[in-house]
Amino acid sequence: MRPFPWHAEALERLMGDRGKLPHALLVHGAAGIGKTQFARALAAAALCEAPVRGLACGECPSCRWLAQGNHPDFREIVPEAAEEEEDAPEGEGAKAEKAKSLVIKIDQIRAVEDFIALTTHRGGYRVLLVHPAEALHPAAANALLKTLEEPPPGTLIVLVSDRPARLLATLRSRCRLLALPLPSQDAAIAWLREQGVEDPGAALATAGGAPLLAQRLAEPEEAQFRRRLLAELARPGGADALQFAATIDRGAVERLVFWLQTWVQDLVRVRLAGKPRHHAALGAALESRARASNLDALFALDGELASARALASHPLNPRLLAEHLLMAYNRATSAPKP
Ligand SMILES: [Zn+2]
């Protein structure tokens, strides 16, 4: 298990002195840069029985168990819904999906209390990885806090978060913070090209420099959704809010909010005589919609979209949220000329 190339140095530095590893680490940084992979590579390095330059060797019993997903001194906690995304076969019923939790529950934290308290199987570290940490239910965060107060020696708890400000302050303050940077543009583009992403420069710009996000946004299904939504947003009379919202389920609402926000931000830029950042290829449509827009209303909508991004990862009525946001967009972009 290796970190992405642009984070290798940060991991080597961290593992350079094992004796100084904290018992709790909060890995944070922009979404889509490879934080979880970094955290798993960190776990592998800490558990490895024959580390090479501080990193996992990939060959010892510990590295093999970890690769097979059955290392006795490693646990990973994610929301149930994320487990399903990774493990379940396609075509799982929508009802079953709805029942899965998007938060990390207190039971999940309680279930690892023994793991933390008992002696380790291999006599080395025990590693608990929790991600995304902002998904911790407050009760779960409090339970984890107790564990962080007096962890037994050899404990390494790694929290991963895009939005560390949303964690309990007391939880945050018990962790050492590690900010992971965006990769350089060259490194990100080289990696995207290796993954077969067409036009990696444009994909990276759309994703604000985050390569994993760029890769995801460039997937055919995502590209199709984006085209469909942007065509709707570019219409001179505004989007057909009701009809479009009827196609939005829980899986799509987060993407809707994401793309709508990139579009609104580009409208603001064009309105302020700047260049679009995300959708340069749709310059003419942006110009035309920007001319009909009310700048204050666009700012207000951008703020509302930021809050909606936080909400969109929680269970709610996705269709109503989509309707509401598209109608707010229509109002913001159909302002009478002053
Ligand atoms: Zn190893």
Side-chain angles (χ1 to χ4, degrees):
M1 177 70 64
R2 297 255 141 199
F4 285 100
W6 49 87
H7 288 151
E9 203 194 314
L11 186 54
E12 280 174 28
R13 219 178 309 129
L14 181 68
M15 294 308 296
D17 190 352
R18 290 178 169 248
K20 285 190 183 152
L21 266 186
H23 61 76
L25 189 71
L26 170 56
V27 176
H28 65 100
I33 60 170
K35 296 187 299 302
T36 303
Q37 176 119 343
F38 177 92
R40 287 180 183 145
L42 164 60
L47 293 166
C48 177
E49 291 165 19
V52 180
R53 281 189 301 135
L55 303 190
C57 72
E59 286 162 10
C60 70
S62 174
C63 283
R64 283 202 302 271
W65 285 328
L66 201 61
Q68 290 159 8
N70 53 14
H71 197 298
D73 296 324
F74 177 71
R75 295 282 190 284
E76 188 168 326
I77 297 185
V78 296
E80 279 175 357
E83 265 171 26
E84 174 161 309
E85 245 169 57
E86 283 176 16
D87 303 336
E90 295 284 317
E92 190 91 347
K95 263 185 199 153
E97 192 195 320
K98 264 192 197 124
K100 295 283 180 180
S101 174
L102 289 161
V103 299
I104 295 172
K105 296 176 181 166
I106 186 167
D107 294 351
Q108 291 176 274
I109 299 297
R110 285 200 177 128
V112 295
E113 274 169 7
D114 279 354
F115 167 74
I116 298 288
L118 300 177
T119 51
T120 62
H121 290 79
R122 300 291 293 179
Y125 273 99
R126 71 169 69 72
V127 184
L128 173 65
L129 172 56
V130 180
H131 67 98
E134 65 269 18
L136 280 162
H137 185 277
N142 273 313
L144 187 58
L145 196 57
K146 290 214 181 73
T147 303
L148 288 179
E149 271 165 16
E150 298 171 44
T155 303
L156 175 61
I157 298 177
V158 186
L159 308 180
V160 177
S161 178
D162 307 334
R163 301 164 189 164
R166 292 179 59 207
L167 300 186
L168 273 187
T170 41
L171 189 59
R172 212 169 43 230
S173 70
R174 291 199 185 271
C175 299
R176 188 202 291 175
L177 300 188
L178 179 69
L180 287 185
L182 287 172
S184 73
Q185 195 170 351
D186 287 349
I189 287 179
W191 181 80
L192 285 168
R193 196 166 281 131
E194 274 171 30
Q195 312 307 311
V197 171
E198 279 178 40
D199 202 351
L204 191 65
T206 306
L212 275 69
L213 182 60
Q215 184 190 25
R216 187 146 47 87
L217 299 181
E219 282 169 8
E221 194 198 344
E222 189 69 40
Q224 195 191 3
F225 179 83
R226 184 187 64 216
R227 273 196 297 277
R228 194 161 69 84
L229 175 65
L230 296 185
E232 201 66 32
L233 299 178
R235 276 162 46 141
D240 188 337
L242 296 186
Q243 200 186 14
F244 193 88
T247 68
I248 299 298
D249 57 15
R250 198 179 81 187
V253 72
E254 214 162 350
R255 300 140 98 200
L256 170 90
V257 171
F258 175 83
W259 289 116
L260 181 53
Q261 193 171 25
T262 61
W263 180 263
V264 166
Q265 289 174 350
D266 270 0
L267 284 180
V268 169
R269 281 197 188 82
V270 171
R271 202 41 220 267
L272 296 173
K275 283 193 162 52
R277 175 159 145 214
H278 302 284
H279 306 292
L282 296 169
L286 281 167
E287 288 277 346
S288 140
R289 299 316 300 141
R291 269 198 302 276
S293 296
N294 175 305
L295 194 54
D296 288 341
L298 288 180
F299 278 128
L301 180 55
D302 184 42
E304 189 170 358
L305 286 164
S307 320
R309 274 179 91 162
L311 271 181
S313 58
H314 295 286
L316 43 66
N317 189 326
R319 189 178 52 78
L320 281 183
L321 179 65
E323 245 174 61
H324 166 78
L325 291 172
L326 289 170
M327 280 170 4
Y329 168 78
N330 285 347
R331 282 194 301 277
T333 54
S334 61
K337 288 263 146 64

